[in-house]
């Protein structure tokens, strides 16, 4: 194992319309990082042109050349921004941290200490979600349990993107070029020696979260369909079960006709059965379509992101 007495630390920070937080972020983070190591870099990935975030990042780059800036040609999303950070960082270890400071930088020293003890992945788990809305708490609870049921516990529960990864883990991630990115799953899939730390997630200082309900649902779908074929297997089992029920029902109808003299009747019941089976078929086609669509995206082999400007 490499000597871990000293460290070159990389911070990977996605920015999306965070003009209110840029100055606060650097004023808070830089003194903390300097206490850990003078050899550091902050990889800032700007994912939007909708505000003055890029101009502020550029200003900080000229103040401190350890602040490096990547700007995408358009909005590619947080997973692509994290991927770009992995591709460009050069540290012995890297920490993913949000620009809104809800990932407290005060925890960085504890994370580095665990890395020095020999852990390759340091996961940051939230103690509680009392600051989240009821909807977000419920959906997060359901998401982690559903995806772990379907992917053989591939994703750690209640762990955000806020984590430290050793260089060898980063090198593995750089080899994973799939287009539908679910970084939590990819980081967990890579394996290596892990440990947990717990933290309280503070409230956002300024601005509003950009991670709305539709993005949460899209990310959940990416996570489930990227790491499991369980949905297709479930519909295979459901199809077998419904076929058995259908055959039993057919034999019952034949029995009624031949031995009881009953005539099959009941427009409402027939229509209910037809509509039910049609609904199951359409849902099954939708699940199959999700996988086909992901295969389509992979076959096109387009880049995960496009960099417009680099300040290094």
């Amino acid at each position: 194992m490499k000597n871990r007495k000293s460290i070159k630390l990389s911070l990977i920070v996605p920015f999306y319309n965070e003009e209110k937080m840029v100055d606060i972020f650097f004023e808070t983070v830089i003194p903390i990082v300097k206490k850990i190591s003078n050899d550091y870099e902050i990889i800032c990935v700007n994912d939007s042109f909708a505000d003055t975030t890029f101009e502020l990042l550029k200003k900080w780059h000229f103040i401190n050349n350890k602040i490096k800036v990547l700007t995408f040609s358009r909005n590619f999303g947080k997973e692509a921004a994290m991927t770009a950070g992995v591709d460009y960082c050069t540290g012995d270890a890297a920490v993913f941290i949000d620009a809104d400071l809800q990932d407290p930088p005060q925890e960085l020293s504890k994370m580095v200490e665990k890395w020095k003890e020999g852990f390759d992945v340091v996961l940051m788990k939230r103690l509680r979600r009392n600051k989240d809305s009821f909807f977000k708490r419920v959906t997060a609870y359901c998401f982690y349990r559903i995806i772990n049921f379907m992917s053989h516990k591939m994703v750690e529960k209640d762990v955000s993107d806020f984590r430290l990864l050793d260089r060898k883990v980063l090198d593995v991630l750089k080899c994973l070029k799939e287009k539908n990115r679910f970084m939590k799953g990819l980081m967990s899939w890579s394996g290596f020696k892990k440990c947990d730390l717990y933290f309280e997630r503070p409230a956002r200082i300024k601005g509003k979260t950009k991670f709305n309900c539709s993005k949460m649902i899209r990310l959940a779908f990416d996570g489930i369909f990227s790491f499991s074929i369980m949905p297709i297997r479930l519909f295979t089992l459901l199809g077998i079960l419904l076929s058995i029920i259908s055959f039993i029902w057919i034999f019952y109808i034949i029995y009624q006709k031949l031995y009881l003299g009953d005539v099959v009747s009941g427009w409402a019941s027939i229509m209910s059965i037809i509509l039910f089976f049609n609904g199951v078929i359409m849902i099954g086609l939708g699940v199959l379509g999700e996988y086909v669509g992901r295969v389509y995206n992979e076959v096109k082999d387009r880049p995960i992101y496009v960099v417009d400007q680099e300040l290094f």
Side-chain angles (χ1 to χ4, degrees):
M1 185 179 70
K2 180 184 174 181
N3 189 324
R4 295 189 176 185
K5 291 182 179 179
S6 61
I7 182 175
K8 178 179 181 181
L9 182 63
S10 299
L11 297 187
I12 298 173
V13 195
F15 284 84
Y16 179 67
N17 296 344
E18 292 288 0
E19 60 184 359
K20 295 180 179 179
M21 285 299 303
V22 173
D23 291 338
I24 299 172
F25 176 82
F26 289 119
E27 289 166 359
T28 304
V29 167
I30 290 175
I32 294 172
V33 176
K34 282 183 175 179
K35 289 180 180 179
I36 297 171
S37 174
N38 285 320
D39 192 8
Y40 69 91
E41 63 180 1
I42 303 177
I43 308 292
C44 304
V45 186
N46 182 37
D47 197 26
S48 175
F49 285 103
D51 64 2
T52 61
T53 298
F54 176 66
E55 285 70 25
L56 292 168
L57 291 174
K58 185 161 58 173
K59 178 195 75 173
W60 276 96
H61 168 72
F62 290 119
I63 293 172
N64 183 344
N65 62 9
K66 294 182 184 292
I67 297 171
K68 302 174 182 181
V69 182
L70 297 171
T71 295
F72 287 165
S73 61
R74 64 169 177 83
N75 175 235
F76 283 90
K78 185 179 180 182
E79 307 300 298
M82 295 170 66
T83 301
V86 170
D87 290 341
Y88 279 82
C89 75
T90 60
D92 300 316
V95 174
F96 297 94
I97 186 169
D98 286 345
D100 57 15
L101 293 178
Q102 288 191 283
D103 297 336
Q106 293 79 9
E107 302 293 328
L108 290 173
S109 59
K110 297 178 185 176
M111 299 168 77
V112 172
E113 285 302 315
K114 287 294 182 182
W115 176 81
K116 290 181 178 179
E117 290 175 15
F119 292 100
D120 302 311
V121 180
V122 181
L123 303 170
M124 300 301 294
K125 287 192 173 185
R126 295 175 61 175
L127 283 170
R128 56 186 66 86
R129 288 181 170 269
N130 56 323
K131 293 183 175 67
D132 289 346
S133 65
F134 175 76
F135 174 78
K136 192 168 183 179
R137 290 199 300 270
V138 170
T139 52
Y141 178 88
C142 294
F143 168 72
Y144 284 113
R145 280 143 188 87
I146 290 171
I147 193 171
N148 281 322
F149 168 72
M150 292 187 172
S151 62
H152 306 290
K153 297 184 179 180
M154 184 64 72
V155 180
E156 295 86 0
K157 295 178 184 177
D158 300 317
V159 176
S160 67
D161 296 320
F162 185 34
R163 64 185 73 194
L164 179 146
L165 304 180
D166 181 70
R167 167 48 54 189
K168 59 186 175 185
V169 187
L170 297 167
D171 289 339
V172 170
L173 290 177
K174 289 174 72 172
C175 297
L176 305 178
K177 297 300 182 183
E178 57 202 71
K179 313 305 174 187
N180 296 289
R181 311 292 287 180
F182 179 61
M183 291 298 286
K184 286 188 183 74
L186 293 177
M187 289 185 281
S188 297
W189 175 90
S190 63
F192 296 103
K193 189 177 180 182
K194 298 181 174 69
C195 74
D196 298 337
L197 290 176
Y198 293 86
F199 75 104
E200 289 279 2
R201 187 173 176 86
R204 175 183 267 270
I205 299 171
K206 286 187 178 181
K208 295 181 179 180
T209 180
K210 316 301 185 302
F211 205 64
N212 55 31
C213 181
S214 63
K215 289 183 179 179
M216 288 171 58
I217 293 172
R218 193 182 312 128
L219 183 65
F221 271 65
D222 284 340
I224 291 170
F225 290 112
S226 295
F227 282 88
S228 176
I229 60 169
M230 182 67 77
I232 288 180
R233 287 178 176 170
L234 289 176
F235 269 94
T236 301
L237 294 174
L238 180 61
I240 294 170
L241 177 63
L242 291 176
S243 296
I244 293 170
I245 293 172
S246 299
F247 279 116
I248 293 172
W249 183 250
I250 289 169
F251 284 121
Y252 176 69
I253 291 172
I254 293 172
Y255 172 78
Q256 278 188 316
K257 180 68 177 177
L258 296 179
Y259 295 98
L260 302 180
D262 293 342
V263 178
V264 177
S265 60
W267 179 85
S269 60
I270 293 173
M271 288 303 297
S272 297
I273 292 171
I274 291 173
L275 291 173
F276 171 74
F277 278 99
N278 283 344
V280 171
I281 291 169
M282 293 306 295
I283 293 171
L285 287 173
V287 170
L288 185 60
E290 287 287 339
Y291 286 102
V292 172
R294 280 160 171 75
V295 172
Y296 174 65
N297 284 334
E298 297 296 328
V299 169
K300 286 188 294 185
D301 199 28
R302 292 175 182 170
I304 299 167
Y305 56 88
V306 177
V307 175
D308 179 44
Q309 296 185 60
E310 297 179 18
L311 296 175
F312 271 66

